[in-house]
Amino acid sequence: MRIEIPMARFSPEWRTFCVYSGHHLPDAAISSEHVIPRALGGKGATTIPCSKAVNSRIGHEIDTKVTNDPIIMFGRRDTDMRGNSRQAPRAILKRAASWKRGEVWYDAELKYNVEVPKEGPPKVYDTRTGQFLHPSILASTGFAIPAMQIDSNARARFVAKTLLGLGWKIFGEAFLATAQTDALRSMIGTCKDPLSNQARLYYIDPFVLRADDPVLDAFRLLQERTIQKDRTSILMRHTDFGIEWSICCVGYFVGSLIYPVHQRLLPDKIPHNGGVRITIENERLVFDAVDPFPSPWGPPAAP
């Protein structure tokens, strides 16, 4: 069900405030930052003022790693979600080894990048020769790809960054009043004193759980409620553990974070353990109510 959440209104003095660093800056030091990068479906609705230096740093250290995540790349390929370069996204599995009958593949050199087009056969690039292999070679050769290089640290920092950036954009000073924003800055890497005012944040994604983890079923339900096919969406809930912020990009789940504060930001009509799903439509953020469901974080700790 679509609901209305009034967006924060900012007085002029906040137009040069960088929420990632927590500082007011001169006009010349401010740029516009896409909290959700364009390559992941970000629009003008997800831009905030940001320090130019911080913008460059988090773009390189966080956004680029997530947009080039080997799983997210398949979603970008399927939706033709292009970034600032406007180049068509490609799904590429790196560091593959060739394999033929009778050979031990893991003794081979990991020198091939396998591009998986949306349609048609894969293309294999030899990083040593700088050339694509001829299709006739592919007919008699297999390629073994090691475990995907998933950077859970970059994913965690990305989830924290989107919570800090969009929490500020949507709720304004009420979000700053949660008083634990330095914990988010510390996770992102923009807090000069990471021990100051730092709460413990809890992060989870599909690659940090074991197959026998007791919260696995609840976590799968969280993924199902967050994911929107081919779209970038966020699920925000108030839980016993604090604010739960989960994000999927172009149809693929990235991760979920518990921000351990209990100030109420969502409308009172949203029940406990219920939430809102945030998506982008026609250059604006839209909000849909989500019914309550169990949390994957286990029972709350005793006081």
Side-chain angles (χ1 to χ4, degrees), residues 168-242:
W168 165 243
K169 185 174 184 70
I170 297 168
F171 303 107
E173 294 180 64
F175 185 78
L176 293 186
T178 60
Q180 297 292 350
T181 49
D182 270 353
L184 294 171
R185 295 185 184 106
S186 178
M187 194 169 193
I188 296 167
T190 58
C191 183
K192 292 183 179 180
D193 184 6
L195 298 180
S196 173
N197 196 31
Q198 182 175 342
R200 184 177 180 184
L201 304 178
Y202 297 88
Y203 171 76
I204 194 170
D205 70 33
F207 305 98
V208 299
L209 288 176
R210 304 182 310 275
D212 61 347
D213 199 301
V215 304
L216 192 59
D217 288 342
F219 179 68
R220 286 172 175 162
L221 180 60
L222 172 63
Q223 291 185 86
E224 291 173 4
R225 299 293 175 89
T226 305
I227 292 173
Q228 298 286 285
K229 180 176 173 57
D230 295 336
R231 302 182 68 183
T232 291
S233 59
I234 295 163
L235 178 61
M236 177 182 177
R237 299 198 294 164
H238 287 290
T239 73
D240 291 337
F241 311 93

Side-chain angles (χ1 to χ4, degrees), residues 281-298:
E281 289 184 8
N282 300 322
E283 294 290 342
R284 61 188 291 262
L285 296 177
V286 296
F287 306 89
D288 292 285
V290 175
D291 291 334
F293 62 93
S295 169
W297 305 91

Side-chain angles (χ1 to χ4, degrees), residues 47-252:
T47 58
I48 60 172
C50 177
S51 157
K52 289 181 179 178
V54 170
N55 196 351
S56 176
R57 178 182 169 191
I58 62 178
H60 174 71
E61 294 182 1
I62 302 176
D63 293 350
T64 297
K65 290 182 179 180
V66 174
T67 56
N68 291 327
D69 180 287
I71 293 179
I72 302 298
M73 283 299 299
F74 279 89
R76 291 187 57 210
R77 177 205 66 182
D78 293 345
T79 57
D80 194 27
M81 196 67 69
R82 306 188 182 202
N84 293 332
S85 70
R86 307 308 300 162
Q87 293 182 352
R90 300 184 298 163
I92 299 175
L93 303 175
K94 297 183 177 180
R95 302 185 70 247
S98 62
W99 177 84
K100 292 185 179 181
R101 187 180 299 276
E103 294 181 350
V104 181
W105 75 265
Y106 50 79
D107 284 344
E109 189 177 7
L110 303 177
K111 64 175 184 177
Y112 299 103
N113 292 342
V114 180
E115 180 181 346
V116 186
K118 189 174 181 179
E119 298 179 352
K123 302 175 183 178
V124 180
Y125 180 78
D126 187 329
T127 61
R128 293 292 185 266
T129 65
Q131 296 180 339
F132 284 95
L133 300 187
H134 192 274
S136 61
I137 298 177
L138 303 184
S140 59
T141 307
F143 294 88
I145 300 168
M148 287 187 178
Q149 302 298 309
I150 303 298
D151 191 337
S152 283
N153 179 61
R155 283 176 168 233
R157 294 175 72 190
F158 180 76
V159 177
K161 174 206 143 177
T162 59
L163 171 54
L164 184 56
L166 291 182
W168 165 243
K169 185 174 184 70
I170 297 168
F171 303 107
E173 294 180 64
F175 185 78
L176 293 186
T178 60
Q180 297 292 350
T181 49
D182 270 353
L184 294 171
R185 295 185 184 106
S186 178
M187 194 169 193
I188 296 167
T190 58
C191 183
K192 292 183 179 180
D193 184 6
L195 298 180
S196 173
N197 196 31
Q198 182 175 342
R200 184 177 180 184
L201 304 178
Y202 297 88
Y203 171 76
I204 194 170
D205 70 33
F207 305 98
V208 299
L209 288 176
R210 304 182 310 275
D212 61 347
D213 199 301
V215 304
L216 192 59
D217 288 342
F219 179 68
R220 286 172 175 162
L221 180 60
L222 172 63
Q223 291 185 86
E224 291 173 4
R225 299 293 175 89
T226 305
I227 292 173
Q228 298 286 285
K229 180 176 173 57
D230 295 336
R231 302 182 68 183
T232 291
S233 59
I234 295 163
L235 178 61
M236 177 182 177
R237 299 198 294 164
H238 287 290
T239 73
D240 291 337
F241 311 93
I243 295 173
E244 179 188 82
W245 184 269
S246 309
I247 182 168
C248 91
C249 291
V250 286
Y252 289 83

